[in-house]
Amino acid sequence: QVQLVESGGGLVQAGGSLRLSCAASGRTFSRKTMGWFRQAPGKEREFLAAITWSGSSTDYADSVKGRFTISRDNAKNTVYLQMNSLKPEDTAVYYCAASQTAILVVARYEYRYWGQGTQVTVSS
């Protein structure tokens, strides 16, 4: 069993930055790919970024590539999402997720455990 708790969301002006954190508990964090997703009102939950256990492989959605950076600190069982150059269209609830695999995956069905989400609101 894995518990995930996101933090760091809030209200920011367009062009600003936020760093989201996801604290994981439970042994299955070990050796597993982690990901970030988001869901805006009336829209499907979408993939944003993923990172393998070692951090050597990452992947990003085109919509955030070059603006968002995923990282992890395995000693702290924590995954981060640094978000720069935020836009109003980035407004959504952001979710951390833990996969069941060590390979880099982006599909929602590959992620078994989810956090409760943290709201990010970008004002224009």
Side-chain angles (χ1 to χ4, degrees), residues 72-105:
R72 66 192 293 168
D73 184 338
N74 292 328
K76 296 181 179 179
N77 279 3
T78 301
V79 179
Y80 305 97
L81 186 68
Q82 177 67 43
M83 306 187 295
N84 299 328
S85 302
L86 284 162
K87 306 174 182 179
E89 51 264 44
D90 293 318
T91 295
V93 178
Y94 284 67
Y95 297 91
C96 171
S99 76
Q100 293 282 82
T101 180
I103 64 173
L104 195 63
V105 290

Short mmCIF file of all heavy atoms in Angstrom, two decimals, residues 72-105:
data_model
loop_
_atom_site.label_atom_id
_atom_site.label_comp_id
_atom_site.label_asym_id
_atom_site.label_seq_id
_atom_site.Cartn_x
_atom_site.Cartn_y
_atom_site.Cartn_z
N ARG A 72 12.94 13.75 -8.09
CA ARG A 72 12.60 12.96 -6.92
C ARG A 72 13.78 12.85 -5.98
O ARG A 72 14.94 12.89 -6.43
CB ARG A 72 12.09 11.57 -7.31
CG ARG A 72 13.08 10.67 -7.96
CD ARG A 72 12.39 9.44 -8.58
NE ARG A 72 11.82 8.56 -7.58
CZ ARG A 72 10.98 7.55 -7.88
NH1 ARG A 72 10.64 7.33 -9.14
NH2 ARG A 72 10.51 6.77 -6.93
N ASP A 73 13.47 12.72 -4.71
CA ASP A 73 14.48 12.50 -3.67
C ASP A 73 14.09 11.21 -2.99
O ASP A 73 13.18 11.20 -2.13
CB ASP A 73 14.50 13.68 -2.70
CG ASP A 73 15.58 13.55 -1.66
OD1 ASP A 73 16.05 12.42 -1.40
OD2 ASP A 73 15.97 14.57 -1.08
N ASN A 74 14.72 10.11 -3.36
CA ASN A 74 14.32 8.81 -2.83
C ASN A 74 14.61 8.68 -1.34
O ASN A 74 13.93 7.92 -0.64
CB ASN A 74 15.00 7.70 -3.62
CG ASN A 74 14.48 7.62 -5.04
OD1 ASN A 74 13.32 7.92 -5.32
ND2 ASN A 74 15.34 7.22 -5.96
N ALA A 75 15.60 9.38 -0.86
CA ALA A 75 15.90 9.34 0.57
C ALA A 75 14.76 9.94 1.39
O ALA A 75 14.54 9.55 2.54
CB ALA A 75 17.19 10.08 0.86
N LYS A 76 14.03 10.86 0.77
CA LYS A 76 12.90 11.51 1.45
C LYS A 76 11.56 10.97 0.96
O LYS A 76 10.51 11.46 1.39
CB LYS A 76 12.94 13.02 1.22
CG LYS A 76 14.16 13.70 1.82
CD LYS A 76 14.11 15.21 1.58
CE LYS A 76 15.31 15.89 2.21
NZ LYS A 76 15.29 17.36 1.97
N ASN A 77 11.59 10.00 0.08
CA ASN A 77 10.35 9.45 -0.50
C ASN A 77 9.45 10.56 -1.04
O ASN A 77 8.24 10.58 -0.81
CB ASN A 77 9.58 8.64 0.54
CG ASN A 77 10.12 7.24 0.70
OD1 ASN A 77 11.12 6.88 0.08
ND2 ASN A 77 9.49 6.45 1.54
N THR A 78 10.05 11.48 -1.76
CA THR A 78 9.32 12.65 -2.23
C THR A 78 9.59 12.90 -3.71
O THR A 78 10.72 12.75 -4.18
CB THR A 78 9.70 13.90 -1.42
OG1 THR A 78 9.42 13.67 -0.03
CG2 THR A 78 8.92 15.12 -1.88
N VAL A 79 8.54 13.25 -4.41
CA VAL A 79 8.62 13.63 -5.81
C VAL A 79 8.19 15.09 -5.93
O VAL A 79 7.28 15.53 -5.22
CB VAL A 79 7.70 12.75 -6.68
CG1 VAL A 79 7.78 13.16 -8.15
CG2 VAL A 79 8.06 11.30 -6.52
N TYR A 80 8.83 15.81 -6.83
CA TYR A 80 8.57 17.24 -6.99
C TYR A 80 8.15 17.55 -8.43
O TYR A 80 8.51 16.83 -9.37
CB TYR A 80 9.82 18.05 -6.66
CG TYR A 80 10.39 17.78 -5.30
CD1 TYR A 80 11.44 16.89 -5.13
CD2 TYR A 80 9.87 18.41 -4.17
CE1 TYR A 80 11.97 16.63 -3.87
CE2 TYR A 80 10.39 18.16 -2.90
CZ TYR A 80 11.44 17.27 -2.77
OH TYR A 80 11.95 17.02 -1.52
N LEU A 81 7.41 18.63 -8.56
CA LEU A 81 7.11 19.17 -9.88
C LEU A 81 7.34 20.67 -9.82
O LEU A 81 6.57 21.41 -9.19
CB LEU A 81 5.67 18.88 -10.30
CG LEU A 81 5.34 19.29 -11.73
CD1 LEU A 81 6.11 18.41 -12.73
CD2 LEU A 81 3.84 19.19 -12.00
N GLN A 82 8.43 21.10 -10.42
CA GLN A 82 8.73 22.53 -10.51
C GLN A 82 8.02 23.09 -11.73
O GLN A 82 8.23 22.60 -12.85
CB GLN A 82 10.24 22.75 -10.63
CG GLN A 82 10.64 24.20 -10.80
CD GLN A 82 10.35 25.04 -9.57
OE1 GLN A 82 10.60 24.61 -8.45
NE2 GLN A 82 9.82 26.24 -9.77
N MET A 83 7.19 24.09 -11.51
CA MET A 83 6.39 24.66 -12.60
C MET A 83 6.77 26.13 -12.78
O MET A 83 6.59 26.93 -11.86
CB MET A 83 4.90 24.52 -12.27
CG MET A 83 4.48 23.11 -11.94
SD MET A 83 2.70 22.92 -11.74
CE MET A 83 2.43 23.92 -10.30
N ASN A 84 7.28 26.45 -13.94
CA ASN A 84 7.68 27.81 -14.27
C ASN A 84 6.83 28.34 -15.43
O ASN A 84 6.18 27.58 -16.14
CB ASN A 84 9.15 27.84 -14.65
CG ASN A 84 10.06 27.39 -13.53
OD1 ASN A 84 9.77 27.59 -12.34
ND2 ASN A 84 11.18 26.77 -13.90
N SER A 85 6.87 29.65 -15.59
CA SER A 85 6.14 30.29 -16.70
C SER A 85 4.69 29.82 -16.75
O SER A 85 4.18 29.46 -17.81
CB SER A 85 6.84 30.00 -18.04
OG SER A 85 8.17 30.44 -18.01
N LEU A 86 4.05 29.85 -15.61
CA LEU A 86 2.68 29.35 -15.53
C LEU A 86 1.72 30.20 -16.33
O LEU A 86 1.88 31.43 -16.44
CB LEU A 86 2.25 29.26 -14.07
CG LEU A 86 2.85 28.06 -13.32
CD1 LEU A 86 2.75 28.25 -11.82
CD2 LEU A 86 2.16 26.78 -13.74
N LYS A 87 0.72 29.52 -16.90
CA LYS A 87 -0.30 30.16 -17.73
C LYS A 87 -1.68 29.92 -17.11
O LYS A 87 -1.86 28.93 -16.40
CB LYS A 87 -0.27 29.56 -19.13
CG LYS A 87 1.09 29.59 -19.79
CD LYS A 87 1.05 28.84 -21.11
CE LYS A 87 2.41 28.79 -21.78
NZ LYS A 87 2.38 28.04 -23.05
N PRO A 88 -2.64 30.76 -17.42
CA PRO A 88 -4.00 30.52 -16.89
C PRO A 88 -4.54 29.13 -17.24
O PRO A 88 -5.27 28.54 -16.45
CB PRO A 88 -4.81 31.63 -17.55
CG PRO A 88 -3.84 32.75 -17.74
CD PRO A 88 -2.55 32.06 -18.10
N GLU A 89 -4.15 28.62 -18.40
CA GLU A 89 -4.62 27.29 -18.80
C GLU A 89 -3.98 26.16 -18.00
O GLU A 89 -4.36 25.00 -18.15
CB GLU A 89 -4.41 27.06 -20.30
CG GLU A 89 -3.01 27.35 -20.79
CD GLU A 89 -2.88 28.75 -21.38
OE1 GLU A 89 -3.41 29.72 -20.77
OE2 GLU A 89 -2.23 28.88 -22.44
N ASP A 90 -3.03 26.48 -17.15
CA ASP A 90 -2.46 25.48 -16.24
C ASP A 90 -3.33 25.29 -14.99
O ASP A 90 -3.04 24.41 -14.17
CB ASP A 90 -1.05 25.88 -15.81
CG ASP A 90 -0.05 25.85 -16.94
OD1 ASP A 90 -0.10 24.89 -17.75
OD2 ASP A 90 0.79 26.77 -17.02
N THR A 91 -4.35 26.10 -14.85
CA THR A 91 -5.24 25.98 -13.70
C THR A 91 -5.93 24.62 -13.69
O THR A 91 -6.55 24.23 -14.68
CB THR A 91 -6.29 27.10 -13.72
OG1 THR A 91 -5.63 28.36 -13.56
CG2 THR A 91 -7.31 26.91 -12.61
N ALA A 92 -5.77 23.90 -12.59
CA ALA A 92 -6.30 22.54 -12.48
C ALA A 92 -6.00 22.00 -11.09
O ALA A 92 -5.28 22.62 -10.31
CB ALA A 92 -5.67 21.62 -13.53
N VAL A 93 -6.55 20.82 -10.82
CA VAL A 93 -6.13 20.06 -9.65
C VAL A 93 -5.00 19.15 -10.11
O VAL A 93 -5.13 18.44 -11.11
CB VAL A 93 -7.28 19.24 -9.06
CG1 VAL A 93 -6.79 18.40 -7.88
CG2 VAL A 93 -8.42 20.16 -8.62
N TYR A 94 -3.91 19.17 -9.38
CA TYR A 94 -2.72 18.41 -9.74
C TYR A 94 -2.59 17.19 -8.83
O TYR A 94 -2.70 17.31 -7.60
CB TYR A 94 -1.47 19.29 -9.62
CG TYR A 94 -1.35 20.25 -10.78
CD1 TYR A 94 -2.26 21.28 -10.96
CD2 TYR A 94 -0.31 20.11 -11.70
CE1 TYR A 94 -2.16 22.15 -12.03
CE2 TYR A 94 -0.20 20.98 -12.78
CZ TYR A 94 -1.13 21.99 -12.94
OH TYR A 94 -1.03 22.85 -14.01
N TYR A 95 -2.34 16.04 -9.45
CA TYR A 95 -2.28 14.78 -8.75
C TYR A 95 -0.92 14.11 -8.93
O TYR A 95 -0.37 14.07 -10.04
CB TYR A 95 -3.33 13.81 -9.27
CG TYR A 95 -4.76 14.26 -9.06
CD1 TYR A 95 -5.42 15.00 -10.04
CD2 TYR A 95 -5.44 13.92 -7.89
CE1 TYR A 95 -6.73 15.42 -9.86
CE2 TYR A 95 -6.75 14.33 -7.70
CZ TYR A 95 -7.38 15.07 -8.68
OH TYR A 95 -8.68 15.47 -8.50
N CYS A 96 -0.42 13.56 -7.85
CA CYS A 96 0.75 12.71 -7.86
C CYS A 96 0.27 11.26 -7.96
O CYS A 96 -0.78 10.92 -7.40
CB CYS A 96 1.52 12.94 -6.56
SG CYS A 96 2.87 11.82 -6.26
N ALA A 97 1.04 10.42 -8.64
CA ALA A 97 0.64 9.03 -8.80
C ALA A 97 1.86 8.12 -8.79
O ALA A 97 2.95 8.51 -9.26
CB ALA A 97 -0.13 8.85 -10.10
N ALA A 98 1.65 6.92 -8.27
CA ALA A 98 2.71 5.91 -8.20
C ALA A 98 2.33 4.73 -9.10
O ALA A 98 1.22 4.21 -9.00
CB ALA A 98 2.90 5.44 -6.77
N SER A 99 3.27 4.35 -9.94
CA SER A 99 3.01 3.22 -10.83
C SER A 99 3.37 1.92 -10.15
O SER A 99 3.86 1.89 -9.01
CB SER A 99 3.82 3.38 -12.11
OG SER A 99 5.17 3.04 -11.86
N GLN A 100 3.15 0.83 -10.86
CA GLN A 100 3.52 -0.50 -10.37
C GLN A 100 4.73 -1.04 -11.11
O GLN A 100 5.03 -2.24 -11.03
CB GLN A 100 2.35 -1.46 -10.58
CG GLN A 100 1.13 -1.16 -9.73
CD GLN A 100 1.32 -1.64 -8.31
OE1 GLN A 100 1.94 -0.99 -7.49
NE2 GLN A 100 0.78 -2.80 -8.01
N THR A 101 5.42 -0.17 -11.81
CA THR A 101 6.51 -0.63 -12.66
C THR A 101 7.74 0.26 -12.51
O THR A 101 7.65 1.40 -12.05
CB THR A 101 6.06 -0.63 -14.14
OG1 THR A 101 7.14 -1.10 -14.94
CG2 THR A 101 5.64 0.75 -14.60
N ALA A 102 8.87 -0.30 -12.92
CA ALA A 102 10.13 0.45 -12.87
C ALA A 102 10.44 1.14 -14.19
O ALA A 102 11.38 1.94 -14.27
CB ALA A 102 11.28 -0.49 -12.50
N ILE A 103 9.67 0.84 -15.23
CA ILE A 103 9.94 1.47 -16.52
C ILE A 103 9.16 2.77 -16.62
O ILE A 103 8.21 3.01 -15.88
CB ILE A 103 9.59 0.54 -17.69
CG1 ILE A 103 8.08 0.24 -17.72
CG2 ILE A 103 10.39 -0.76 -17.60
CD1 ILE A 103 7.65 -0.52 -18.95
N LEU A 104 9.54 3.59 -17.57
CA LEU A 104 8.89 4.89 -17.74
C LEU A 104 7.54 4.69 -18.42
O LEU A 104 7.47 4.15 -19.53
CB LEU A 104 9.79 5.79 -18.59
CG LEU A 104 9.45 7.28 -18.59
CD1 LEU A 104 9.61 7.88 -17.20
CD2 LEU A 104 10.35 8.00 -19.58
N VAL A 105 6.47 5.10 -17.76
CA VAL A 105 5.13 4.94 -18.30
C VAL A 105 4.37 6.25 -18.18
O VAL A 105 4.61 7.04 -17.26
CB VAL A 105 4.36 3.81 -17.58
CG1 VAL A 105 4.95 2.46 -17.93
CG2 VAL A 105 4.36 4.01 -16.06
#
